[in-house]
Amino acid sequence: MSRERAKRGVLPPPQEPIEKMEKLVNDGNFYEAQQMYKTYSARYAAAQRYPEALDILEAGALIQLNHGQVTCGSELANLFVETLVKGTFAFSEEILGRLRKIYEAFPKIPVPQHLDDDDDMQKLSEALVAAKIRVEGCSSFLRAAIKWSMEFGSGRSGCPELHDMLAEYIYSESPELDMAKVSAHFVRGNNPGKFVDILMNFMGKCYPGEDDLAIARAILMYLSQGNLLDANYIMDELKKQSRSKNIEFPVSDLIQLIVYLLRTLERDALPLFRILRQKYKSSIDREPLFEEYCSYWMKLQRSSMVCNGEVASKACLVTFSR
């Protein structure tokens, strides 16, 4: 029957090729299966049968990733998102669930510790290369998914949960941690509690002088989004958890600036904001982005200074909150 359909150019039900390709993967024929996943999904997409193409690509991404084939799995995961775009699928919780399922299939493997000899160093080198491949593959997939969600109905910044996924994966798996990237995605996410946990973990293992930078960066990023509520939450929770876990909360001019800044913004005190910016210039200069965030907040504050003829109206500031 399948041969007759092929002669007539009729596509089989997607479950038939999926089962065939799963057998290839289970037998270790990863490359052959990969080419078939791509070929069959392309045929369904060309026939504008996008749901079936998505089924094939999702199945392929999941089984390849579950077999540790990250390069193959991430390629199919990206094709899954490309097909969402081609098929003009609107953002929905159902599709988000499928994206989450693919994300959860990406391996999470700790880098070896306690190295003693040359063999261990070789293992470490191989593990670092593998970790880099995992992070690049997962990041590429989630960035594409975020872009799709922005274009198809999840808001200007994209789906918050996808941002949280990307932030968590970068933090847990990246061999060269970039806290600025982690923070940028958490700030666009909807899980500040998880962000606090990540910052607490980072404070316990970072080099001296990196902890206050990470905290200040997180607070200023929230403020640059007009989100004073979560900025205050992050600071309050970090202090609370530091006390409960007997971890020393960083004390520096930069942290003092952030504390004063939060109090200032709650009061709409633009003149005091200018004074703080000048007094703590050396702390702001520690991170190039800090000046950008301060400039952005100056603009927000100027915009809120006059509302219906009144000065420093709280109602104006609400306009810039979430």
Side-chain angles (χ1 to χ4, degrees):
M1 180 69 72
S2 59
R3 289 182 179 178
E4 293 178 4
R5 280 199 300 261
K7 289 180 181 179
R8 299 196 306 269
V10 178
L11 291 169
Q15 193 57 35
E16 287 185 18
I18 287 175
E19 290 176 356
K20 181 178 181 179
M21 291 179 284
E22 282 182 353
K23 185 177 185 309
L24 286 172
V25 174
N26 290 328
D27 290 341
N29 298 314
F30 305 114
Y31 180 78
E32 183 180 353
Q34 183 76 357
Q35 300 312 306
M36 291 183 66
Y37 279 119
K38 291 163 63 177
T39 298
Y40 272 104
S41 63
R43 288 176 180 172
Y44 281 97
Q48 297 187 348
R49 293 173 60 178
Y50 297 111
E52 290 98 327
L54 290 175
D55 290 343
I56 291 172
L57 291 167
E58 180 183 4
L62 290 174
I63 195 169
Q64 292 279 32
L65 290 170
N66 287 330
H67 278 75
Q69 302 299 305
V70 176
T71 300
C72 291
S74 60
E75 181 183 23
L76 296 177
N78 274 282
L79 288 172
F80 181 91
V81 179
E82 286 183 21
T83 304
L84 291 176
V85 175
K86 289 179 181 177
T88 63
F89 285 85
F91 177 85
S92 69
E93 289 298 318
E94 186 268 332
I95 293 178
L96 175 60
R98 298 174 75 173
L99 294 170
R100 186 188 304 110
K101 189 175 181 181
I102 294 173
Y103 160 73
E104 291 173 348
F106 275 88
K108 293 185 178 181
I109 306 171
V111 175
Q113 304 293 327
H114 309 298
L115 306 173
D116 298 319
D117 53 33
D118 291 342
D119 287 341
D120 288 337
M121 292 302 296
Q122 178 64 28
K123 291 178 182 177
L124 173 62
S125 178
E126 293 172 356
L128 291 175
V129 171
K132 187 175 181 180
I133 292 173
R134 289 197 304 274
V135 172
E136 288 178 350
C138 187
S139 297
S140 175
F141 159 62
L142 287 175
R143 284 196 303 267
I146 289 169
K147 184 178 179 182
W148 160 77
S149 71
M150 292 168 62
E151 295 175 356
F152 290 90
S154 183
R156 184 176 59 184
S157 297
C159 173
E161 188 171 345
L162 292 172
H163 280 290
D164 287 331
M165 292 178 198
L166 182 50
E168 289 187 47
Y169 201 84
I170 292 174
Y171 184 79
S172 66
E173 299 301 307
S174 179
E176 299 175 353
L177 181 60
D178 186 341
M179 277 303 290
K181 284 185 180 179
V182 173
S183 299
H185 287 291
F186 267 125
V187 166
R188 289 167 175 79
N190 59 4
N191 195 347
K194 182 63 177 180
F195 192 14
V196 169
D197 293 340
I198 293 292
L199 288 169
M200 287 297 300
N201 180 271
F202 179 74
M203 288 164 57
K205 66 182 184 181
C206 66
Y207 291 109
E210 289 184 337
D211 47 3
D212 64 340
L213 274 174
I215 295 169
R217 184 187 296 114
I219 300 298
L220 288 170
M221 282 184 172
Y222 274 117
L223 294 179
S224 72
Q225 297 288 313
N227 189 347
L228 183 58
L229 178 65
D230 283 338
N232 275 309
Y233 172 83
I234 292 290
M235 180 62 84
D236 293 343
E237 281 297 308
L238 286 173
K239 289 181 177 179
K240 185 188 302 182
Q241 291 194 27
S242 294
R243 288 193 297 269
S244 67
K245 298 178 182 178
N246 293 319
I247 296 176
E248 184 177 354
F249 190 81
V251 177
S252 68
D253 286 347
L254 183 56
I255 291 297
Q256 195 60 55
L257 165 63
I258 296 300
V259 171
Y260 287 146
L261 180 59
L262 290 171
R263 294 175 183 172
T264 299
L265 295 174
E266 287 175 346
R267 292 167 174 77
D268 267 354
L270 182 57
L272 181 55
F273 181 84
R274 291 195 182 104
I275 294 172
L276 289 174
R277 191 178 181 187
Q278 183 177 2
K279 180 177 179 180
Y280 289 95
K281 186 178 185 305
S282 61
S283 295
I284 294 173
D285 289 343
R286 288 178 59 189
E287 171 71 58
L289 287 176
F290 289 175
E291 176 61 30
E292 179 182 334
Y293 298 145
C294 287
S295 298
Y296 183 80
W297 257 97
M298 286 282 284
K299 292 178 181 178
L300 292 185
Q301 290 293 333
R302 288 195 190 100
S303 298
S304 68
M305 285 299 291
V306 178
C307 183
N308 295 327
E310 297 183 4
V311 177
S313 169
K314 286 286 183 182
C316 286
L317 186 57
V318 171
T319 305
F320 299 105
S321 60
R322 235 192 303 186

PDB file of all heavy atoms in Angstrom, residues 41-57:
ATOM      1  N   SER A  41       9.205  15.635   6.737  1.00  0.00           N
ATOM      2  CA  SER A  41       8.592  16.879   7.241  1.00  0.00           C
ATOM      3  C   SER A  41       8.526  17.931   6.145  1.00  0.00           C
ATOM      4  O   SER A  41       7.540  18.679   6.042  1.00  0.00           O
ATOM      5  CB  SER A  41       9.377  17.409   8.440  1.00  0.00           C
ATOM      6  OG  SER A  41      10.708  17.755   8.088  1.00  0.00           O
ATOM      7  N   ALA A  42       9.552  17.978   5.289  1.00  0.00           N
ATOM      8  CA  ALA A  42       9.547  18.940   4.184  1.00  0.00           C
ATOM      9  C   ALA A  42       8.434  18.634   3.190  1.00  0.00           C
ATOM     10  O   ALA A  42       7.794  19.550   2.640  1.00  0.00           O
ATOM     11  CB  ALA A  42      10.904  18.936   3.484  1.00  0.00           C
ATOM     12  N   ARG A  43       8.176  17.344   2.953  1.00  0.00           N
ATOM     13  CA  ARG A  43       7.108  16.968   2.020  1.00  0.00           C
ATOM     14  C   ARG A  43       5.737  17.379   2.555  1.00  0.00           C
ATOM     15  O   ARG A  43       4.900  17.906   1.809  1.00  0.00           O
ATOM     16  CB  ARG A  43       7.137  15.452   1.780  1.00  0.00           C
ATOM     17  CG  ARG A  43       8.318  14.981   0.934  1.00  0.00           C
ATOM     18  CD  ARG A  43       8.344  13.463   0.829  1.00  0.00           C
ATOM     19  NE  ARG A  43       9.467  12.986   0.033  1.00  0.00           N
ATOM     20  CZ  ARG A  43       9.806  11.712  -0.088  1.00  0.00           C
ATOM     21  NH1 ARG A  43       9.073  10.779   0.525  1.00  0.00           N
ATOM     22  NH2 ARG A  43      10.842  11.352  -0.821  1.00  0.00           N
ATOM     23  N   TYR A  44       5.513  17.127   3.851  1.00  0.00           N
ATOM     24  CA  TYR A  44       4.230  17.527   4.432  1.00  0.00           C
ATOM     25  C   TYR A  44       4.087  19.049   4.428  1.00  0.00           C
ATOM     26  O   TYR A  44       3.007  19.579   4.151  1.00  0.00           O
ATOM     27  CB  TYR A  44       4.110  16.990   5.863  1.00  0.00           C
ATOM     28  CG  TYR A  44       3.722  15.537   5.929  1.00  0.00           C
ATOM     29  CD1 TYR A  44       4.685  14.544   6.095  1.00  0.00           C
ATOM     30  CD2 TYR A  44       2.385  15.154   5.808  1.00  0.00           C
ATOM     31  CE1 TYR A  44       4.331  13.201   6.146  1.00  0.00           C
ATOM     32  CE2 TYR A  44       2.015  13.814   5.865  1.00  0.00           C
ATOM     33  CZ  TYR A  44       2.996  12.845   6.029  1.00  0.00           C
ATOM     34  OH  TYR A  44       2.637  11.518   6.072  1.00  0.00           O
ATOM     35  N   ALA A  45       5.171  19.748   4.725  1.00  0.00           N
ATOM     36  CA  ALA A  45       5.110  21.216   4.732  1.00  0.00           C
ATOM     37  C   ALA A  45       4.842  21.755   3.333  1.00  0.00           C
ATOM     38  O   ALA A  45       4.074  22.712   3.153  1.00  0.00           O
ATOM     39  CB  ALA A  45       6.414  21.791   5.281  1.00  0.00           C
ATOM     40  N   ALA A  46       5.472  21.141   2.318  1.00  0.00           N
ATOM     41  CA  ALA A  46       5.257  21.580   0.936  1.00  0.00           C
ATOM     42  C   ALA A  46       3.814  21.376   0.512  1.00  0.00           C
ATOM     43  O   ALA A  46       3.271  22.133  -0.310  1.00  0.00           O
ATOM     44  CB  ALA A  46       6.203  20.822   0.004  1.00  0.00           C
ATOM     45  N   ALA A  47       3.165  20.374   1.089  1.00  0.00           N
ATOM     46  CA  ALA A  47       1.746  20.120   0.798  1.00  0.00           C
ATOM     47  C   ALA A  47       0.833  20.932   1.722  1.00  0.00           C
ATOM     48  O   ALA A  47      -0.383  20.739   1.704  1.00  0.00           O
ATOM     49  CB  ALA A  47       1.450  18.631   0.952  1.00  0.00           C
ATOM     50  N   GLN A  48       1.463  21.826   2.503  1.00  0.00           N
ATOM     51  CA  GLN A  48       0.748  22.669   3.470  1.00  0.00           C
ATOM     52  C   GLN A  48       0.006  21.847   4.528  1.00  0.00           C
ATOM     53  O   GLN A  48      -0.998  22.286   5.079  1.00  0.00           O
ATOM     54  CB  GLN A  48      -0.203  23.643   2.764  1.00  0.00           C
ATOM     55  CG  GLN A  48       0.524  24.636   1.863  1.00  0.00           C
ATOM     56  CD  GLN A  48      -0.401  25.698   1.304  1.00  0.00           C
ATOM     57  OE1 GLN A  48      -1.633  25.603   1.400  1.00  0.00           O
ATOM     58  NE2 GLN A  48       0.180  26.727   0.709  1.00  0.00           N
ATOM     59  N   ARG A  49       0.537  20.681   4.781  1.00  0.00           N
ATOM     60  CA  ARG A  49       0.009  19.852   5.870  1.00  0.00           C
ATOM     61  C   ARG A  49       0.926  20.049   7.082  1.00  0.00           C
ATOM     62  O   ARG A  49       1.660  19.171   7.509  1.00  0.00           O
ATOM     63  CB  ARG A  49      -0.059  18.390   5.428  1.00  0.00           C
ATOM     64  CG  ARG A  49      -1.099  18.159   4.322  1.00  0.00           C
ATOM     65  CD  ARG A  49      -1.057  16.754   3.752  1.00  0.00           C
ATOM     66  NE  ARG A  49      -1.320  15.725   4.760  1.00  0.00           N
ATOM     67  CZ  ARG A  49      -1.377  14.418   4.489  1.00  0.00           C
ATOM     68  NH1 ARG A  49      -1.220  13.999   3.231  1.00  0.00           N
ATOM     69  NH2 ARG A  49      -1.603  13.545   5.447  1.00  0.00           N
ATOM     70  N   TYR A  50       0.870  21.255   7.599  1.00  0.00           N
ATOM     71  CA  TYR A  50       1.801  21.663   8.648  1.00  0.00           C
ATOM     72  C   TYR A  50       1.630  20.897   9.969  1.00  0.00           C
ATOM     73  O   TYR A  50       2.633  20.596  10.625  1.00  0.00           O
ATOM     74  CB  TYR A  50       1.686  23.166   8.880  1.00  0.00           C
ATOM     75  CG  TYR A  50       2.078  23.989   7.685  1.00  0.00           C
ATOM     76  CD1 TYR A  50       1.135  24.723   6.972  1.00  0.00           C
ATOM     77  CD2 TYR A  50       3.399  24.024   7.244  1.00  0.00           C
ATOM     78  CE1 TYR A  50       1.487  25.475   5.866  1.00  0.00           C
ATOM     79  CE2 TYR A  50       3.770  24.773   6.130  1.00  0.00           C
ATOM     80  CZ  TYR A  50       2.807  25.503   5.449  1.00  0.00           C
ATOM     81  OH  TYR A  50       3.160  26.245   4.349  1.00  0.00           O
ATOM     82  N   PRO A  51       0.415  20.583  10.396  1.00  0.00           N
ATOM     83  CA  PRO A  51       0.299  19.813  11.648  1.00  0.00           C
ATOM     84  C   PRO A  51       1.039  18.484  11.594  1.00  0.00           C
ATOM     85  O   PRO A  51       1.691  18.088  12.570  1.00  0.00           O
ATOM     86  CB  PRO A  51      -1.210  19.631  11.788  1.00  0.00           C
ATOM     87  CG  PRO A  51      -1.807  20.803  11.080  1.00  0.00           C
ATOM     88  CD  PRO A  51      -0.919  21.019   9.895  1.00  0.00           C
ATOM     89  N   GLU A  52       0.954  17.775  10.448  1.00  0.00           N
ATOM     90  CA  GLU A  52       1.653  16.511  10.318  1.00  0.00           C
ATOM     91  C   GLU A  52       3.173  16.724  10.309  1.00  0.00           C
ATOM     92  O   GLU A  52       3.931  15.940  10.889  1.00  0.00           O
ATOM     93  CB  GLU A  52       1.231  15.786   9.045  1.00  0.00           C
ATOM     94  CG  GLU A  52      -0.199  15.255   9.092  1.00  0.00           C
ATOM     95  CD  GLU A  52      -1.177  16.199   8.405  1.00  0.00           C
ATOM     96  OE1 GLU A  52      -0.955  17.428   8.466  1.00  0.00           O
ATOM     97  OE2 GLU A  52      -2.162  15.694   7.815  1.00  0.00           O
ATOM     98  N   ALA A  53       3.618  17.802   9.652  1.00  0.00           N
ATOM     99  CA  ALA A  53       5.052  18.116   9.645  1.00  0.00           C
ATOM    100  C   ALA A  53       5.546  18.375  11.068  1.00  0.00           C
ATOM    101  O   ALA A  53       6.629  17.920  11.457  1.00  0.00           O
ATOM    102  CB  ALA A  53       5.321  19.338   8.762  1.00  0.00           C
ATOM    103  N   LEU A  54       4.736  19.076  11.854  1.00  0.00           N
ATOM    104  CA  LEU A  54       5.106  19.336  13.247  1.00  0.00           C
ATOM    105  C   LEU A  54       5.198  18.038  14.047  1.00  0.00           C
ATOM    106  O   LEU A  54       6.109  17.869  14.874  1.00  0.00           O
ATOM    107  CB  LEU A  54       4.097  20.283  13.895  1.00  0.00           C
ATOM    108  CG  LEU A  54       4.098  21.735  13.423  1.00  0.00           C
ATOM    109  CD1 LEU A  54       2.962  22.503  14.088  1.00  0.00           C
ATOM    110  CD2 LEU A  54       5.438  22.408  13.728  1.00  0.00           C
ATOM    111  N   ASP A  55       4.257  17.129  13.813  1.00  0.00           N
ATOM    112  CA  ASP A  55       4.278  15.844  14.531  1.00  0.00           C
ATOM    113  C   ASP A  55       5.582  15.094  14.252  1.00  0.00           C
ATOM    114  O   ASP A  55       6.196  14.529  15.171  1.00  0.00           O
ATOM    115  CB  ASP A  55       3.093  14.980  14.108  1.00  0.00           C
ATOM    116  CG  ASP A  55       1.759  15.525  14.624  1.00  0.00           C
ATOM    117  OD1 ASP A  55       1.783  16.352  15.558  1.00  0.00           O
ATOM    118  OD2 ASP A  55       0.718  15.123  14.072  1.00  0.00           O
ATOM    119  N   ILE A  56       5.999  15.076  12.992  1.00  0.00           N
ATOM    120  CA  ILE A  56       7.221  14.361  12.616  1.00  0.00           C
ATOM    121  C   ILE A  56       8.445  15.020  13.242  1.00  0.00           C
ATOM    122  O   ILE A  56       9.324  14.346  13.801  1.00  0.00           O
ATOM    123  CB  ILE A  56       7.345  14.306  11.079  1.00  0.00           C
ATOM    124  CG1 ILE A  56       6.265  13.390  10.497  1.00  0.00           C
ATOM    125  CG2 ILE A  56       8.737  13.838  10.660  1.00  0.00           C
ATOM    126  CD1 ILE A  56       6.175  13.422   8.983  1.00  0.00           C
ATOM    127  N   LEU A  57       8.514  16.345  13.165  1.00  0.00           N
ATOM    128  CA  LEU A  57       9.675  17.055  13.689  1.00  0.00           C
ATOM    129  C   LEU A  57       9.759  16.960  15.214  1.00  0.00           C
ATOM    130  O   LEU A  57      10.852  16.812  15.780  1.00  0.00           O
ATOM    131  CB  LEU A  57       9.625  18.520  13.254  1.00  0.00           C
ATOM    132  CG  LEU A  57       9.844  18.743  11.755  1.00  0.00           C
ATOM    133  CD1 LEU A  57       9.472  20.174  11.363  1.00  0.00           C
ATOM    134  CD2 LEU A  57      11.300  18.443  11.376  1.00  0.00           C
TER     135      LEU A  57
END
